[in-house]
Amino acid sequence: MRHYKYFDNILTHYEAIKALQVGGAMAPRFCTFQTSNRCNQKCVGCSFSGLLDNKLMDEAVHVDIVKQLLALGTVGFEFCGGGEPFMLPYLKTLMQIIADKGGYFGTITNGTLLTDELIKIIIQEGTYIRISLEASNETMYVNYKNVPAFHWHSALRNIRKLVEQKRLTKSKCDISLKFDVSKTLCGEKHIRDAVELGNILGVDTIQIKSIRYNNEELSRSDRVILREAAQEAAYYSDVVVINSILPERQPVPQCWLNPLHTVIDHLGDVYLCCYYYYRQDEHRIGNVLEKRFEDIWFSEEHWDKIKRIDKKLCSAVDCKFFQHHVIINEAFENGRCEFL
């Protein structure tokens, strides 16, 4: 089932994308920060395995970048890995700055480091939080993430606190769990247990995604089996299940989001999109420690690199934005957006 509720936000970018079609340069609407290169876990299928250097972006630098982006008109921010975002000791400060200026933020985290204070601001001011559990039981979790068992119990305890805080405050913050399928995390039981756990915990959405461009990537035949298992589990689920297990590499549509979406890492490097980790040189467009963000974003190098994106490399991963592009291209074919 296609849950358009979780993809049709692309239509809010419709006018900006129409301007891009005729060569207009737009300020980014959304920024992904990968500004912690430090993590308290060592996941087997981590895309940044071997790239983590235990560094964090300096607080003053980070605050300045956030203020630059807000001044440009950026309204959405995401804190994710690289490393674990809640290893930034000042993350709450950034969240409050964004909220005070009328912006929005979301977080992708392993969920083990949440405090009651952080849970409160996330539920009160945040748009979404996705907890990357990946494994569906304690034993798989410990083996996959190379951590003591208390990490599993900490994550579950914090998920329950998030759900309870949302219930008490009637917040609209979306609480989501992500589970991987891979050579280590496989089997139909893993899928069923993942969906059951999401239902027991009472989260809003569950995403099940296959690891790609990694030694953990499953064969096509295994992905077919697990996709069907996820479809069946979703049918009986009270929680929305986003089945992102794709057997085939998808045709890459025209990308309308990277000209509206910026990615900044812990060194201040700016990238075309969040799938830069296997093509850093091709996707790096500048560094905010050397130039102001505005000068990087509206540079000739930025737009030249957009034109030279190798779509064959994009197809190596199941980009989370492919579905968004399909929807916006359908809108362009119709010549308009209609809302019922």
Side-chain angles (χ1 to χ4, degrees):
M1 181 180 296
R2 295 169 72 182
H3 294 286
Y4 280 105
K5 174 184 175 184
Y6 298 99
F7 297 119
D8 61 10
N9 59 321
I10 184 63
L11 296 177
T12 68
H13 300 283
Y14 186 70
E15 294 301 324
I17 293 172
K18 282 203 302 184
L20 289 171
Q21 280 188 310
V22 295
M26 309 296 296
R29 294 276 301 273
F30 183 72
C31 175
T32 293
F33 282 120
Q34 298 186 341
T35 42
S36 166
N37 216 38
R38 179 183 300 174
C39 193
N40 61 334
Q41 299 186 334
K42 296 180 180 179
C43 299
V44 173
C46 178
S47 299
F48 289 85
S49 179
L51 300 176
L52 298 178
D53 57 16
N54 208 36
K55 294 179 180 178
L56 305 175
M57 178 171 277
D58 178 76
E59 180 177 358
V61 172
H62 212 318
V63 168
D64 182 60
I65 294 168
V66 167
K67 289 181 176 179
Q68 286 184 50
L69 288 163
L70 287 166
L72 270 179
T74 304
V75 292
F77 298 83
E78 178 180 83
F79 301 100
C80 64
E84 165 56 40
F86 285 103
M87 297 202 81
L88 286 172
Y90 55 82
L91 186 55
K92 180 178 178 290
T93 299
L94 299 178
M95 291 176 169
Q96 196 63 60
I97 290 171
I98 292 166
D100 289 346
K101 294 294 184 180
Y104 307 91
F105 65 83
T107 317
I108 299 176
T109 171
N110 62 41
T112 60
L113 301 177
L114 295 176
T115 63
D116 290 347
E117 186 179 29
L118 286 168
I119 287 171
K120 191 170 183 180
I121 189 172
I122 288 166
I123 294 301
Q124 181 177 322
E125 304 288 357
T127 302
Y128 62 88
I129 179 168
R130 190 183 82 190
I131 297 91
S132 299
L133 273 182
E134 316 303 10
S136 54
N137 63 61
E138 180 181 325
T139 301
M140 293 176 75
Y141 184 94
V142 167
N143 292 334
Y144 182 75
K145 290 180 172 271
N146 292 295
V147 293
F150 78 82
H151 277 237
W152 168 259
H153 297 289
S154 295
L156 294 191
R157 180 178 64 250
N158 289 333
I159 293 164
R160 293 188 182 100
K161 286 184 176 181
L162 286 163
V163 171
E164 177 64 10
Q165 185 71 13
K166 176 173 178 173
R167 184 189 67 80
L168 290 174
T169 61
K170 302 187 185 307
S171 163
K172 293 184 179 180
C173 179
D174 188 271
I175 304 171
S176 176
L177 302 183
K178 174 175 165 282
F179 297 92
D180 276 343
V181 293
S182 65
K183 291 178 181 177
T184 303
L185 303 172
C186 61
E188 295 177 57
K189 186 177 186 303
H190 167 51
I191 300 294
R192 292 193 298 270
D193 288 350
V195 174
E196 181 181 3
L197 180 59
N199 279 271
I200 290 171
L201 292 171
V203 298
D204 299 299
T205 59
I206 301 165
Q207 183 182 27
I208 303 175
K209 187 166 183 172
S210 52
I211 287 181
R212 303 299 288 270
Y213 202 79
N214 189 290
N215 291 334
E216 280 285 298
E217 182 174 334
L218 288 168
S219 68
R220 178 192 177 279
S221 58
D222 286 337
R223 292 200 303 274
V224 168
I225 292 170
L226 293 182
R227 179 174 174 80
E228 291 174 353
Q231 287 173 332
E232 181 178 358
Y235 184 80
Y236 296 102
S237 173
D238 294 327
V239 177
V240 172
V241 177
I242 301 173
N243 184 356
S244 299
I245 305 174
L246 303 177
E248 308 289 353
R249 288 193 172 184
Q250 301 299 294
V252 180
Q254 174 61 47
C255 181
W256 295 111
L257 280 180
N258 78 68
L260 299 173
H261 172 204
T262 188
V263 179
I264 303 175
D265 75 1
H266 70 294
L267 298 174
D269 285 327
V270 183
Y271 293 94
L272 294 181
C273 82
C274 52
Y275 296 102
Y276 69 83
Y277 51 87
Y278 57 97
R279 45 183 171 172
Q280 289 189 355
D281 291 340
E282 293 88 347
H283 273 219
R284 185 187 294 110
I285 60 172
N287 186 288
V288 290
L289 304 185
E290 300 168 0
K291 293 182 180 179
R292 289 188 61 78
F293 177 83
E294 185 174 2
D295 294 332
I296 296 169
W297 188 258
F298 293 107
S299 69
E300 290 185 11
E301 180 182 7
H302 179 196
W303 299 101
D304 182 58
K305 286 201 171 184
I306 286 178
K307 294 172 185 175
R308 292 191 283 114
I309 291 174
D310 187 342
K311 288 187 177 182
K312 291 180 181 178
L313 290 178
C314 295
S315 68
V317 294
D318 296 331
C319 174
K320 62 184 178 181
F321 296 125
F322 282 1
Q323 184 63 63
H324 295 74
H325 303 318
V326 170
I327 291 172
I328 199 68
N329 284 329
E330 287 175 356
F332 284 147
E333 288 174 7
N334 292 333
R336 62 190 183 278
C337 287
E338 296 176 342
F339 298 90
L340 301 177

